[in-house]
Amino acid sequence: MTETIIWRESPFGPCVTDCGGVLMYGILVESGHASYDFDFVIQDADLQVLKTDPARADALYWSLTTCLQKQKNDFTQDQMNILLHDTLHSSAADFELFLDRFSAAHHIALRVYIERSTR
């Protein structure tokens, strides 16, 4: 099967690959001394937001990285679908609420990560 990278912001950041008509969001996560590769199915609407809204793309990247560092192999496609909605497709007010709730739940300053993102 032919795989073609169709979106990538930086050499070490996440990418979207077209795998025979299926879009895959690929991400490398460092956790301690180990590195893990993850791939999740996304839709074209998700890709369009990734391409056009850097803040939401960064919100997905940093929140997903946080979840994967904690859950590794227990993070499911269904959980990814929820995260895709919350980060890429929620209203502006709900997006702001997500940033606050996620930050509190995971003891991180998600807004700071997004503002300083250099992926």
Side-chain angles (χ1 to χ4, degrees), residues 56 85-87 89-101:
R56 287 183 181 255
H85 169 75
D86 291 343
T87 58
H89 304 292
S90 60
S91 69
D94 286 343
F95 179 66
E96 294 299 319
L97 190 58
F98 166 79
L99 295 177
D100 292 338
R101 288 183 176 164

Side-chain angles (χ1 to χ4, degrees), residues 4 8 22-23 27 33 36 44 48-49 52 62-64 70 72-74 77 89 91 106 110 112-114 116:
T4 305
R8 171 175 261 160
V22 176
L23 298 178
I27 185 171
H33 64 280
Y36 302 91
D44 189 58
Q48 296 315 311
V49 177
T52 60
W62 290 112
S63 58
L64 182 58
K70 293 179 178 184
K72 293 181 187 61
N73 295 328
D74 296 329
Q77 181 68 50
H89 304 292
S91 69
H106 295 277
L110 193 53
V112 173
Y113 282 90
I114 293 167
R116 296 183 181 173

